[in-house]
């Protein structure tokens, strides 16, 4: 796997620079693109990276937030930048590096089961994350050994799949319950969760679920899944969820702010405290 290119990701906003320079403009840079040639997926995959304020002036290591649907730059990506910066500014969470993973075939990569009942797509995507993308990010940037996944829409299915099949990959998973989860996947998740959580005595992990669309089978399935996890909750496992208003469109807000506040509940470190003290 190679990084083919690195491009500046910028929002082109016009800035007023004073009465003598009316009309002058500068780029407001919010991150950088990397294009990775994935041997596992057999295709190029683009990721967008946003670094926290002052990154270049520090020697700190930073937790990583991996955002699925990272190609939604003007919605999910910038929304999460605002959330991360705002939480740190209010001293509610440490600074973090944001990695937005772009989609090519989201249902192939993010849904646990394909129509033929196989797991190949989701497993290949997980392998890409753990053997290609994460090592690249860890080499390219100063990272702490603390990985957070945020999965909206179909990414919520991948988040649960990763938790139950590869629990060591992410320390925390925040998902937004999609408006439609196919019956085959609902059945798989319920059976898998029953076995997985029954077998876990201790699981040092955090899961946060944001619920929407009350009048759908997926909503009822998600509520039953949460009740199942609560009934079999392992020691050290932290579960949070939030009932939200009915979504009016397909592009729903992320589970970011409330979920991250719950994850870092009690956070009170000084702004310049080394972030690599986290577990």
């Amino acid at each position: 796997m190679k990084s083919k290119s690195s491009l500046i990701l910028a929002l082109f906003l016009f800035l007023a620079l004073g009465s003598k320079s009316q009309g002058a403009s500068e780029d407001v840079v919010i991150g950088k693109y990397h294009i990775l040639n994935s041997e596992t997926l057999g295709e190029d995959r683009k990721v967008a990276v946003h670094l926290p304020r002052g990154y270049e002036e520090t020697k700190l290591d930073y937790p990583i937030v991996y955002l699925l649907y990272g190609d939604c730059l003007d919605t999910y990506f910038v929304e999460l930048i605002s959330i991360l910066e705002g939480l740190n500014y209010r001293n509610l969470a440490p600074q973090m590096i944001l990695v937005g993973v772009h989609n090519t075939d989201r249902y192939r990569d993010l849904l646990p089961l394909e129509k033929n009942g196989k797991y190949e797509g989701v497993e290949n995507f997980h392998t890409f994350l753990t053997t290609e993308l994460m090592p690249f990010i860890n080499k390219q940037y100063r990272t702490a050994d603390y990985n957070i996944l945020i999965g909206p829409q179909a990414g919520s299915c991948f988040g649960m799949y990763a938790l139950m099949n590869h629990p060591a990959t992410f320390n925390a998973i925040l998902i937004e319950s999609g408006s439609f989860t196919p019956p085959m996947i609902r059945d798989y998740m319920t059976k898998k969760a029953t076995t997985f959580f029954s077998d876990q005595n201790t699981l040092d992990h955090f899961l946060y679920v944001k619920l929407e669309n009350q009048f759908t089978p997926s909503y009822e399935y998600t509520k039953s899944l949460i009740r199942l996890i609560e009934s079999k909750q392992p020691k050290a496992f932290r579960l949070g969820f939030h009932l939200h208003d009915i979504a009016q469109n397909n592009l729903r807000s992320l589970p970011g702010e409330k979920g991250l506040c719950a994850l870092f509940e009690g956070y009170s470190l000084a702004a310049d405290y080394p972030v690599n003290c986290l577990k």
Side-chain angles (χ1 to χ4, degrees):
M1 185 273 296
K2 298 179 180 179
S3 175
K4 294 180 62 177
S5 63
S6 177
L7 306 172
I8 295 296
L9 172 62
L11 295 178
F12 297 101
L13 302 179
F14 292 100
L15 306 178
L17 301 178
S19 58
K20 294 184 179 181
S21 58
Q22 289 292 333
S25 65
E26 293 182 359
D27 295 342
V28 178
V29 178
I30 62 169
K32 180 181 291 187
Y33 280 131
H34 294 286
I35 302 176
L36 281 64
N37 179 250
S38 171
E39 296 177 2
T40 300
L41 299 175
E43 62 186 13
D44 290 345
R45 294 304 294 258
K46 183 184 289 186
V47 297
V49 178
H50 170 78
L51 299 177
R53 298 185 316 274
Y55 174 88
E56 299 298 341
E57 286 72 48
T58 75
K59 296 182 179 180
L60 301 179
D61 297 334
Y62 297 88
I64 310 297
V65 176
Y66 289 92
L67 169 68
L68 305 177
Y69 283 71
D71 48 314
C72 298
L73 291 173
D74 57 350
T75 50
Y76 288 145
F77 193 74
V78 295
E79 178 187 347
L80 193 47
I81 290 175
S82 176
I83 290 171
L84 293 176
E85 297 289 352
L87 290 177
N88 180 254
Y89 182 79
R90 289 178 283 156
N91 206 32
L92 297 176
Q95 289 185 307
M96 290 172 266
I97 295 172
L98 171 61
V99 179
V101 185
H102 287 220
N103 291 311
T104 56
D105 187 338
R106 58 184 176 177
Y107 297 127
R108 175 201 68 190
D109 293 339
L110 302 179
L111 294 185
L113 293 176
E114 300 179 42
K115 291 181 180 179
N116 58 10
K118 294 184 178 180
Y119 307 89
E120 183 177 353
V122 70
E123 271 299 304
N124 285 344
F125 183 68
H126 180 267
T127 299
F128 161 71
L129 290 180
T130 56
T131 67
E132 297 182 331
L133 178 57
M134 288 179 168
F136 173 80
I137 295 297
N138 292 336
K139 181 178 179 180
Q140 192 80 13
Y141 300 100
R142 300 192 310 274
T143 62
D145 186 20
Y146 198 89
N147 297 311
I148 301 167
L149 178 75
I150 294 184
Q153 300 190 46
S156 64
C157 295
F158 178 81
M160 287 302 301
Y161 180 87
L163 170 62
M164 295 188 292
N165 289 274
H166 305 283
T169 301
F170 298 101
N171 302 86
I173 292 176
L174 287 68
I175 60 176
E176 175 269 319
S177 179
S179 60
F180 175 73
T181 304
M184 179 174 64
I185 294 177
R186 295 202 299 266
D187 292 343
Y188 163 80
M189 288 291 196
T190 301
K191 292 177 182 177
K192 181 68 178 179
T194 301
T195 302
F196 175 78
F197 285 99
S198 296
D199 292 343
Q200 306 299 314
N201 181 44
T202 301
L203 182 62
D204 189 4
H205 207 290
F206 175 87
L207 173 66
Y208 185 88
V209 184
K210 177 170 169 283
L211 300 173
E212 287 189 341
N213 293 338
Q214 284 111 312
F215 305 108
T216 68
S218 295
Y219 179 84
E220 293 302 321
Y221 143 75
T222 305
K223 285 203 304 182
S224 67
L225 190 64
I226 287 174
R227 288 195 295 267
L228 187 157
I229 296 173
E230 286 181 318
S231 69
K232 302 178 181 295
Q233 191 163 327
K235 296 177 182 178
F237 186 81
R238 298 171 59 202
L239 172 68
F241 58 93
H242 173 65
L243 179 62
H244 197 264
D245 294 336
I246 300 173
Q248 300 298 316
N249 52 60
N250 289 328
L251 196 61
R252 297 171 293 276
S253 60
L254 292 170
E257 184 164 12
K258 290 182 180 294
L260 289 170
C261 280
L263 172 60
F264 292 105
E265 184 179 3
Y267 177 83
S268 60
L269 301 178
D272 60 349
Y273 193 88
V275 186
N276 59 5
C277 68
L278 287 172
K279 290 175 59 180

